[in-house]
Amino acid sequence: MSRFARVAVLSLAGLLLAGATLPAGAQDKSRARAKAAPVDERVAGIDEALRVSGLRNHLTRVRLRLKQTIDDNNPNLDADVRRWLWRTLDVSFSPEAYAKPVKQALFDNYDADFLTRVLVWYNFPAGRKMVRLEQSGVEPGQSQARDRYLATLENRQPSEERLVAIFRIDEASRASEGTFGAIRAVVIGWNRGIEQVMSEQAQQRAAQGEIARDVFRAQMRDTVSEEVLRELMYTYRGASDAELRAYAEFLESDAGKWFFSTAYKGQQAFLEKAVDKVAEAYVNTIYVNETNRSSKN
């Protein structure tokens, strides 16, 4: 544990010894705004929070879901296009690519009190367990085990309490929302790249299909949410109902909302730029390759 984390834990431990209580949402209201911390201290605290929270696991899962969605909805995808997409996702949608805008968002919206509460939660045994489960969930080679586990749920339904907790975790961590945003960025970037090499008449025809694409996006959002919920059922299979409820309560507390909502703002800033990167990559790679292939024939 870093020096910053130890100080945060000891500070909150002092409050507990003094008789204060610390449920996930306690003391979120009417709190005094802490004095602004020095820049170096802010950066160190944010880095520590990103490390202990395992936010990288959440961002890694976004990329894994992107690939799965592309595979599921495009079984006949051209091999060259698929390779290009995978390279684009591996580089442009890596956790490292997300890191800078996410850290910047947390720095711009820095809150020392909320940050301390986040560090304390993730250094508690319950928080560490959630991170371990999330880390395990992004390890490769689990598709068959995941399918077998989900198949057992058809005959043995989870408790209503568990389902509600999983739904709350998805909502508060922005898992489905972040995944759909990434899918949307890829689709828009792909279409923008195509439009850049289309004739004006073809662009007008493409614009007429926007309503149909809006319908597709609405349907895709529901599909993504359903798949994410199934994935989370597998990821948190080693947690009890009570542990999941406690995690949901932390995520829904003011500190949890600050951390994940601010990180999501960073993701959104990243995705806005990713659209242009996908479009540029399409024009410079797929279109150029297709043009060269056609000229040779």
Side-chain angles (χ1 to χ4, degrees), residues 1-14 44-45 48-49 51-52 115-116 119-120 123:
M1 187 186 299
S2 72
R3 178 179 177 277
F4 188 93
R6 286 198 297 271
V7 171
V9 173
L10 290 173
S11 298
L12 268 293
E48 180 69 5
R51 184 186 69 81
V52 300
L115 181 64
T116 299
L119 288 170
V120 169
N123 279 290

Side-chain angles (χ1 to χ4, degrees), residues 108 112 126 131 148 215 247 292:
D108 292 343
V131 173
R148 286 195 299 269
V215 173
Y247 189 28
N292 291 340

Side-chain angles (χ1 to χ4, degrees), residues 229-266:
L229 289 171
R230 287 167 55 83
E231 174 202 302
L232 296 182
M233 289 295 297
Y234 174 73
T235 297
Y236 297 118
R237 65 194 183 282
S240 68
D241 292 0
E243 288 171 329
L244 291 176
R245 184 175 65 252
Y247 189 28
E249 288 173 355
F250 160 70
L251 293 174
E252 292 170 347
S253 70
D254 282 358
K257 284 190 288 188
W258 167 80
F259 185 64
F260 278 92
S261 294
T262 305
Y264 181 66
K265 289 179 182 177

Side-chain angles (χ1 to χ4, degrees), residues 51-213:
R51 184 186 69 81
V52 300
S53 69
L55 188 64
R56 177 189 174 89
N57 298 327
H58 293 265
L59 300 177
T60 298
R61 287 196 293 186
V62 170
R63 184 174 58 185
L64 294 175
R65 294 172 193 141
L66 269 173
K67 291 183 175 181
Q68 188 63 52
T69 300
I70 291 170
D71 271 345
D72 291 345
N73 291 276
N74 300 275
N76 300 317
L77 191 65
D78 179 82
D80 288 339
V81 174
R82 188 179 188 277
R83 280 194 293 271
W84 167 79
L85 272 172
W86 260 229
R87 286 196 301 269
T88 300
L89 297 180
D90 285 340
V91 175
S92 299
F93 289 83
S94 67
E96 292 76 17
Y98 277 104
K100 185 176 180 179
V102 168
K103 288 176 67 173
Q104 187 62 52
L106 289 167
F107 184 84
D108 292 343
N109 296 274
Y110 183 83
D111 188 297
D113 182 33
F114 285 160
L115 181 64
T116 299
R117 293 165 188 258
V118 169
L119 288 170
V120 169
W121 162 260
Y122 280 110
N123 279 290
F124 281 156
R128 292 198 298 269
K129 180 174 182 177
M130 292 301 108
V131 173
R132 286 198 303 271
L133 292 175
E134 291 162 358
Q135 174 62 46
S136 176
V138 299
E139 293 175 356
Q142 298 191 66
S143 57
Q144 291 184 349
R146 174 177 174 269
D147 291 343
R148 286 195 299 269
Y149 174 78
L150 293 175
T152 66
L153 297 184
E154 296 180 5
N155 299 321
R156 181 173 53 85
Q157 288 290 322
S159 67
E160 182 177 349
E161 180 183 10
R162 191 174 191 82
L163 291 172
V164 169
I166 291 291
F167 180 80
R168 290 168 63 191
I169 291 170
D170 175 35
E171 287 281 302
S173 67
R174 307 293 186 95
S176 292
E177 196 170 353
T179 300
F180 181 76
I183 293 171
R184 185 173 180 273
V186 172
V187 171
I188 292 176
W190 174 275
N191 289 334
R192 188 170 296 176
I194 292 174
E195 290 171 0
Q196 288 178 17
V197 296
M198 291 169 64
S199 66
E200 183 175 349
Q201 183 178 6
Q203 288 183 22
Q204 293 175 352
R205 288 199 302 269
Q208 294 173 0
E210 189 63 32
I211 295 177
R213 286 198 292 270

